[in-house]
Amino acid sequence: MPGTGLWRTKSVEQSILDTDEPDTKLRKNLGTWDLIVFGVSVVIGAGIFTLAARTAGDVSGPSVSLAFVLSAIACGLAALCYAEFASTVPVAGSAYTYSYATFGEFIAWIIGWDLILEFAVAAAAVSKGWSVYLEEVLELIGLSVPTSLPLGPLQFDWGALLLVVVLSTLLAIGTKLSARVSLVITIIKVAVVLLVIVVGLAYINADNYTPFIPPGQQATEDSPAIEQSLLSLILGGETSTYGMFGLLAGASLVFFAFIGFDIVATTAEETKNPQKNAPRGILGSLAIVTVLYVAVALVVTGMVPYTDLATTEDGTRSTLATAFALHGVTWAAAIISVGALAGLTTVVMVLLLGQTRVLFAMSRDGLMPKSLAKTSSAGTPMRATVLVGVVVVLAAAFFPADKLEEMVNVGTLFAFILVSLGVIVLRRTRPDLPRGFRAPLVPLVPILAILACLWLMLNLTALTWVRFLVWMIAGVVIYFLYGRSHSRLGKEGDVANGGSVTS
């Protein structure tokens, strides 16, 4: 067994062999288009309907379109690394599984814990956004029904609860059915996005693009240092609102809009031909959404001055609908609300799918309770799906969603860094492995991916870093209290060595 204790690694061959165990076997029924649909359906959601306008008004100004390009470049570099791993290690768990094969059990646990933060928190945050749009859509048809109600000191969000329960049920029934539902809804929301672009072109005023990068804003009492980007804090900038620091901070914020293409990698074990289909699904979905994002960002900042998109004093945040409403195009605003409702539905569905597959992989390895890895007659991890659904329901229904986007960003970027580094390591340690897809220019591309992700992480707020470190410390404690002693790989080592495995 390579490595011992904290650094024991699980071979790629063993990971693949585990996928054939009868009690934990997932059904292979996904093709390239299913994966592209999953990727596009999870990526086109909150980002395109809310982040473009809000980031332009509050952080970057018209240069938000460039911020999307910068984020897309970082994601593209990481996507090449994910594509190689998904074709080489077609096993559920994504970055967790890849880290187990390259860096050892402790780092694998850390990244698994990190992915739990990414997927579960994102699912809770996006489902709350869905609930807000549900209330708007109900008003469009004449029903004034609040989706969030006071319940003692808490707010009970029944809209978010309803969404998570329905989607968890769909995922428990079968992944193929989930893919079909995603396809229908994805077609609807892509059509809405294209409508936004086409209609918005008629209202573009080139003067609104000037200044493309607005001058940096002076610090105020309402913008404490810990709320500005870590990079601007290190380099002595007053704030990260507008200016070059604002552009860079904007790129880190809109990165949230790209999160999801990596979820395609978590479904590799359920893919018919993962060596070819997984890379196509990852890279294809990222290419499609990048074009749509940049186009929408250019349209929304061309329609109205960026200052009209800033968050108001009473806390009202702008969306795509804001730009159309300012031009009196109310029917477009209504369609955008419906499109956003559809868009966020599939986002939550695929986030739940990704979370369940990571938990399933960790449970199969014994780092989480083994019973969660048992699959049903439908070939899905029923127990893991129910547990994830319950946790996300509680988070979405009773807890506020403030700052969740940045928490998701820092966790995802950390995962991207480890996956990119893992490609370099596995090329050196296992050059003999068959690779259905090979990332170009290794180690240059993975190194550029690591640097790009580190740069984006530095542009997140210092407070986000503090929260992230607290979450990671909690994960380390849980590993030593439970995961290390229950590790399947560790127990096999104990038997093979005739004693305990030391670190």
Side-chain angles (χ1 to χ4, degrees), residues 105-113 362 367-368 475-476 478-479:
E105 184 174 283
F106 181 64
I107 299 299
W109 165 269
I110 289 295
I111 202 65
W113 184 248
M362 296 177 75
L367 300 181
M368 289 286 192
V476 171
I478 293 173
Y479 172 74

Side-chain angles (χ1 to χ4, degrees), residues 211-262:
F212 190 67
I213 301 179
Q217 195 174 78
Q218 296 295 314
T220 65
E221 292 182 0
D222 295 329
S223 56
I226 200 168
E227 290 284 1
Q228 72 186 85
S229 73
L230 189 60
L231 182 64
S232 67
L233 200 61
I234 293 171
L235 297 181
E238 288 194 18
T239 70
S240 50
T241 302
Y242 306 140
M244 187 55 66
F245 286 125
L247 167 61
L248 300 179
S252 295
L253 286 174
V254 300
F255 176 80
F256 181 78
F258 288 96
I259 289 175
F261 75 83
D262 55 317

Side-chain angles (χ1 to χ4, degrees), residues 165-182:
V165 168
V166 170
L167 296 184
S168 296
T169 303
L170 271 176
L171 289 171
I173 292 173
T175 310
K176 187 67 176 180
L177 175 61
S178 306
R180 289 171 179 163
V181 172
S182 289

Side-chain angles (χ1 to χ4, degrees), residues 44 48-50 52-53 133 188-204 292-301 303 319-324 329 331-340:
I44 296 183
I48 206 162
F49 291 109
T50 62
Y133 276 108
I188 293 172
K189 65 180 178 182
V190 169
V192 171
V193 170
L194 292 174
L195 177 69
V196 167
I197 295 170
V198 172
V199 175
L201 285 172
Y203 296 94
I204 287 180
L292 292 176
Y293 276 1
V294 174
V296 167
L298 286 170
V299 166
V300 72
T301 52
M303 289 179 66
T319 65
L320 281 186
T322 305
F324 285 91
V329 191
W331 61 268
I335 290 178
I336 289 170
S337 295
V338 174

Side-chain angles (χ1 to χ4, degrees), residues 201-462:
L201 285 172
Y203 296 94
I204 287 180
N205 179 354
D207 292 341
N208 291 329
Y209 294 126
T210 305
F212 190 67
I213 301 179
Q217 195 174 78
Q218 296 295 314
T220 65
E221 292 182 0
D222 295 329
S223 56
I226 200 168
E227 290 284 1
Q228 72 186 85
S229 73
L230 189 60
L231 182 64
S232 67
L233 200 61
I234 293 171
L235 297 181
E238 288 194 18
T239 70
S240 50
T241 302
Y242 306 140
M244 187 55 66
F245 286 125
L247 167 61
L248 300 179
S252 295
L253 286 174
V254 300
F255 176 80
F256 181 78
F258 288 96
I259 289 175
F261 75 83
D262 55 317
I263 291 180
V264 174
T266 70
T267 63
E269 190 174 328
E270 297 162 86
T271 303
K272 297 172 187 174
N273 185 359
Q275 286 73 24
K276 291 184 178 180
N277 294 341
R280 290 172 182 171
I282 291 170
L283 298 172
S285 57
L286 183 60
I288 290 170
V289 300
T290 298
V291 172
L292 292 176
Y293 276 1
V294 174
V296 167
L298 286 170
V299 166
V300 72
T301 52
M303 289 179 66
V304 295
Y306 70 92
T307 50
D308 289 350
L309 298 173
T311 300
T312 60
E313 291 183 2
D314 64 359
T316 303
R317 293 179 167 184
S318 59
T319 65
L320 281 186
T322 305
F324 285 91
L326 290 172
H327 282 282
V329 191
T330 53
W331 61 268
I335 290 178
I336 289 170
S337 295
V338 174
L341 187 68
L344 297 181
T345 301
T346 53
V347 172
V348 177
M349 175 186 284
V350 185
L351 286 170
L352 290 171
L353 173 69
Q355 169 66 95
T356 301
R357 295 312 181 261
V358 171
L359 183 60
F360 165 80
M362 296 177 75
S363 302
R364 187 162 58 186
D365 291 332
L367 300 181
M368 289 286 192
K370 191 76 163 60
S371 60
L372 295 174
K374 187 174 180 60
T375 52
S376 65
S377 58
T380 62
M382 177 80 74
R383 294 174 182 175
T385 302
V386 171
L387 176 61
V388 169
V390 169
V391 171
V392 175
V393 157
L394 291 175
F398 296 105
F399 293 94
D402 294 347
K403 300 295 180 182
L404 287 179
E405 289 143 345
E406 289 199 18
M407 283 291 289
V408 175
N409 286 2
V410 70
T412 306
L413 286 164
F414 181 59
F416 284 6
I417 288 172
L418 282 184
V419 169
S420 301
L421 184 59
V423 166
I424 300 174
V425 173
L426 205 61
R427 284 280 188 100
R428 291 181 177 274
T429 58
R430 294 298 308 274
D432 57 305
L433 284 174
R435 291 167 168 83
F437 175 87
R438 296 177 70 89
L441 301 175
V442 174
L444 178 61
V445 164
I447 289 173
L448 290 175
I450 291 168
L451 293 175
C453 291
L454 279 172
W455 166 68
L456 288 174
M457 290 178 80
L458 286 173
N459 280 287
L460 292 169
T461 67

